[in-house]
């Protein structure tokens, strides 16, 4: 899933205690992240996703207040763009130096398509994009669709990982400042689900002939979590010289196996109870602690939101909860653990296990990512 920031090496001053704070992640080096000294610092919490009524509308929440993101699209017979806030989503959010980046897609109508979408008179195409402080930046257009799954800011560079569909196959890759860099193992279609920049190295994880990641364009296969199941690599985090990637394996009828890879070695993540199916979607490393957000479920109960800390499951909703809940993104600031997701149909996040719901109802997965930054 899908979020991250690459903060410049910079000093913030928290005047009320006359203490200096070092921003938690630097893309200029490969030192391990340990932000435990940032406890009790006032923060702003940004959550990306979409609101949903009759249509999905890209948005983010800042400290619980929703900010909708508008889009513009062209019909083929028009010279001027139309304004629209319908059918768009945020898949990833990043915040740096007060600038807010939200990556995702919006819908464009293209009448040149050969296949009619949904039996209507209009043809719908997903267009990869990101918003910077609410302003839309469209990326490479493909009439068969494209999408940003993960956004990462490093200095003045904007990295947006995702895919372009060329009708025959999806081609995974990323845009660096709007320029497309395709990634593949040359034999299969590919997909980038998450991107991370450390020093001069660009890492991206996803799938191409199985679970994998790329380092500076070089394809590196990951072992299957279960040889009998399809395996997916969802989220990547680089700490020092160590590469962490979380994911899951599943059968077509819904039996899941969750885990993460540390430098290519599988670390299994067990469900909290027998007959439950775990799914790992987001990973964050702080010091020596590895946090993996996700959910567990079985056939009797809806999904149960939670995360693993160093392999130990921490449930965020009751096991016998009658409403579904999931964690889509996890972020650690100081000693505080933030897990963005939903409970019932309400988007929000958990802070150290306490639920903070937003005044909006969502669809299947209205929250995609969460970022926490020191308040200026």
């Amino acid at each position: 899933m899908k979020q991250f920031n690459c903060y410049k090496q910079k000093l913030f001053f928290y005047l009320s205690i006359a203490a200096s704070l070092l921003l938690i992640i630097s893309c200029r080096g490969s030192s391990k992240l340990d932000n435990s000294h940032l406890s009790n610092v006032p923060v702003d919490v940004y959550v990306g996703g979409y609101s949903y009524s009759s249509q999905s509308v890209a948005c983010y929440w800042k400290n619980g207040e929703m900010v909708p993101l508008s889009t513009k699209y062209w019909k083929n017979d028009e010279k001027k763009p139309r304004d629209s806030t319908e059918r768009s989503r945020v898949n990833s959010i990043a915040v740096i130096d007060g600038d807010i980046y939200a990556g995702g897609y919006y819908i464009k109508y293209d009448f040149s398509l050969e296949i009619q979408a949904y039996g209507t008179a209009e043809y719908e195409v997903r267009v990869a994009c990101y918003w910077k402080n609410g302003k839309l930046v469209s990326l490479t257009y493909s009439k068969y669709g494209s999408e940003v799954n993960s956004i990462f800011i490093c200095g003045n560079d904007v990295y947006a990982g995702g895919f372009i569909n060329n009708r025959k196959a999806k081609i995974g890759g990323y845009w660096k400042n709007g320029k497309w860099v395709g990634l593949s193992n040359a034999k299969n279609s590919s997909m980038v689900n998450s991107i991370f920049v450390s020093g001069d190295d660009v890492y991206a994880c996803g799938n191409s002939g199985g679970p994998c990641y790329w380092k500076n364009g070089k394809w590196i296969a990951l072992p299957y979590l279960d040889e009998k199941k399809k395996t997916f690599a969802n989220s990547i985090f680089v700490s020092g010289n160590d590469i962490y990637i979380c994911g899951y394996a599943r059968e077509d009828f819904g039996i899941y196996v969750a885990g993460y890879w540390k430098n290519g070695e599988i670390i299994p993540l067990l469900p909290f109870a027998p007959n439950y199916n775990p799914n790992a979607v987001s990973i964050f490393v702080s010091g020596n602690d590895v946090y993996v957000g996700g959910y567990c479920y079985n056939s009797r109960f809806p999904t149960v939101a939670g995360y693993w800390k160093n392999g130990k499951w921490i449930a965020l909703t009751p096991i016998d909860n009658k409403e579904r809940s999931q964690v889509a993104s996890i972020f650690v600031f100081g000693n505080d653990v933030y897990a963005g997701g939903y409970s019932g149909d309400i988007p929000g996040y958990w802070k150290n296990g306490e639920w903070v719901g937003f005044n909006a109802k969502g669809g299947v997965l209205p929250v995609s990512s969460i970022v926490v930054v020191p308040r200026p």
Side-chain angles (χ1 to χ4, degrees), residues 30 306 309 338:
S30 59
K309 179 181 178 180
Y338 295 80

Side-chain angles (χ1 to χ4, degrees), residues 22-323:
L22 189 64
L23 278 178
I24 62 175
I25 299 173
S26 171
C27 62
R28 298 185 179 180
S30 59
S31 60
K32 284 198 172 185
L33 166 64
D34 184 354
N35 60 20
S36 60
H37 62 288
L38 298 179
S39 298
N40 301 318
V41 171
V43 298
D44 289 322
V45 181
Y46 294 85
V47 175
Y50 64 92
S51 64
Y52 191 91
S53 53
S54 59
Q55 300 283 357
S56 60
V57 178
C59 69
Y60 66 88
W61 291 265
K62 179 181 178 181
N63 301 327
E65 182 177 351
M66 189 179 74
V67 180
L69 297 170
S70 65
T71 61
K72 294 182 178 181
Y73 66 85
W74 283 259
K75 288 190 176 182
N76 287 10
D77 57 350
E78 295 175 341
K79 295 181 180 180
K80 293 183 179 180
R82 291 188 177 190
D83 292 323
S84 172
T85 56
E86 294 187 331
R87 304 297 301 278
S88 55
R89 294 190 184 185
V90 170
N91 291 329
S92 180
I93 193 166
V95 181
I96 180 171
D97 292 345
D99 292 323
I100 303 162
Y101 298 80
Y105 72 87
Y106 67 94
I107 295 294
K108 178 178 178 178
Y109 299 95
D110 190 331
F111 290 95
S112 67
L113 291 177
E114 297 177 1
I115 300 175
Q116 198 173 35
Y118 307 112
T120 68
E122 295 180 327
Y123 300 84
E124 300 180 341
V125 181
R126 291 186 180 187
V127 181
C129 68
Y130 66 89
W131 292 263
K132 179 181 178 181
N133 300 327
K135 183 178 180 180
L136 178 68
V137 179
S138 297
L139 298 170
T140 305
Y141 176 67
S142 166
K143 65 169 59 180
Y144 301 105
S146 58
E147 190 168 345
V148 171
N149 289 327
S150 178
I151 195 161
F152 200 110
I153 314 303
C154 186
N156 295 319
D157 295 323
V158 180
Y159 296 83
F163 70 90
I164 292 176
N165 195 336
N166 66 3
R167 189 179 184 183
K168 294 182 179 180
K170 289 181 179 179
I171 305 300
Y174 63 91
W175 292 265
K176 179 181 179 182
N177 302 326
K179 184 178 180 180
W180 173 249
V181 180
L183 298 173
S184 171
N185 69 354
K187 296 180 180 179
N188 298 277
S189 62
S190 56
M191 169 76 76
V192 167
N193 292 324
S194 180
I195 193 165
F196 198 106
V197 182
S198 178
D200 296 325
D201 298 321
V202 180
Y203 300 83
C205 79
N207 285 74
S208 185
C212 66
Y213 71 96
W214 293 265
K215 178 180 179 181
N216 301 325
K218 181 182 178 180
W219 176 77
I220 301 169
L222 292 168
Y224 280 65
L225 295 175
D226 188 315
E227 290 295 337
K228 298 180 180 180
K229 299 178 176 66
K230 299 177 182 177
T231 299
F232 302 87
N234 284 334
S235 178
I236 188 168
F237 196 106
V238 180
S239 179
N241 296 318
D242 296 321
I243 303 168
Y244 299 83
I245 299 169
C246 76
Y248 68 94
R250 68 171 174 82
E251 295 175 343
D252 291 338
F253 48 87
I255 304 300
Y256 283 75
V257 174
Y260 69 91
W261 297 266
K262 179 181 179 181
N263 301 325
E265 180 182 351
I266 295 175
I267 313 245
L269 294 171
L270 301 178
F272 59 83
N275 301 320
Y276 273 76
N277 293 285
N279 192 350
V281 297
S282 178
I283 193 164
F284 194 104
V285 182
S286 178
N288 295 319
D289 296 321
V290 180
Y291 300 81
V292 180
Y295 58 90
C296 292
Y297 77 98
N298 69 9
S299 60
R300 293 182 56 199
F301 297 112
T303 53
V304 178
Y307 64 91
W308 292 265
K309 179 181 178 180
N310 301 325
K312 181 180 179 181
W313 171 258
I314 299 173
L316 296 173
T317 51
I319 295 176
D320 58 353
N321 188 24
K322 301 303 181 182
E323 294 186 328

